[in-house]
Amino acid sequence: MTVGLMIGIDIGGTKTLMIVTDRNGAILAQQKQPTIQAEQPSTFFTLLFEQVDQLLATIDRTIIDVEGIGMGLPGAVNIETGVITHIPALPLDGVSLLEQIQPFYEGALYLDNDVNVAALGEHWQGAGIGKKHLIMLTVGTGIGGAIILHHQLFRGADYTAGEVSYLVVDHQPEQVSSATANSQGFGRFESHASGTGIGVYARQWLTEHRADHTHPIVEHAGGQIEQVNAVDVLRLAQAGHPDAQQIMTVPIDYMAAGIANMISLLNPECVVIGGGVADSSYYIEQLHQRIGHFTPIQTQLVPAVLGNTAGALGAVYGVLHHPLAIYKHSR
């Protein structure tokens, strides 16, 4: 017999956050762990549901007390069939998630892309409350996007709407930039504007300007240019260091241009920015100033407020409002 417990699981390429909530989204328990590394889908889900059992045990509950489970994964999920594609980070490409989950769970289930569930979370309990039309961007190692129109996720013809990483924002699109060449097949937009892109550009800039281990940015990275990443640059830019702010000019210009394109196309009420790069108020303030250079259309630009729990909460929202049915598995 269920007691109204919901589970939200946000599975990333490296980390997985799992929460237990009530039907209002109040978090009763949570745990964050490295994402399971397994060669076979069956092994992956066996280990995942062992983690579910462990989390439920911390509040003296078991899987039979769970009314619904929502999952966000880093791929394109067909919400009709439960099949996932475009998921290079995990051995699940082309796998029927429904078939894999059935041996472990017999209740309501919601499956979706990880950025989609983050957008649902912010729309439900975060920066997008009450917004009819919004765009969610997560800016970290790469750039993810999700679109909500008329309070509903827009998924596209094959469930890949929001793949903004592939936007073309180069001034000379016929030329492959060095950033693209060094970013392992990233989309053109994220090769310039993501945390990875910022790191690539920063290392190039520091090398060209003959920075040594005493340069504040390099010193922040432990004294080695090859270790400099976006966090090092953003922290010093936030503190007002002129070189860090100079380095950020190019990635922020690319991001502003990309966001302006999205605003011009969809005219959302707000754009919610999440992810590690967007934690910097300097970054958000600079975007505010520059987006207006590319489009006259007015849109709110707001930082995400739910942090790491956005995706897991959005997965709970999904299973509450748009569940897939899992029927009793015949063993």
Side-chain angles (χ1 to χ4, degrees), residues 126-167:
I129 291 175
K131 302 299 184 184
K132 189 175 183 180
H133 312 293
L134 71 84
I135 294 170
M136 173 87 187
L137 297 177
T138 56
V139 188
T141 303
I143 299 175
I147 302 163
I148 290 179
L149 302 175
H150 301 282
H151 297 295
Q152 300 292 324
L153 277 169
F154 177 74
R155 294 184 173 84
D158 63 354
Y159 305 94
T160 57
E163 289 289 346
V164 298
S165 65
Y166 299 111
L167 288 176

Side-chain angles (χ1 to χ4, degrees), residues 36-58:
I36 295 162
Q37 301 300 310
E39 294 184 3
Q40 297 298 323
S42 58
T43 304
F44 179 89
F45 283 101
T46 296
L47 296 174
L48 183 70
F49 276 89
E50 287 180 3
Q51 292 179 353
V52 170
D53 291 338
Q54 292 165 8
L55 180 59
L56 287 167
T58 66

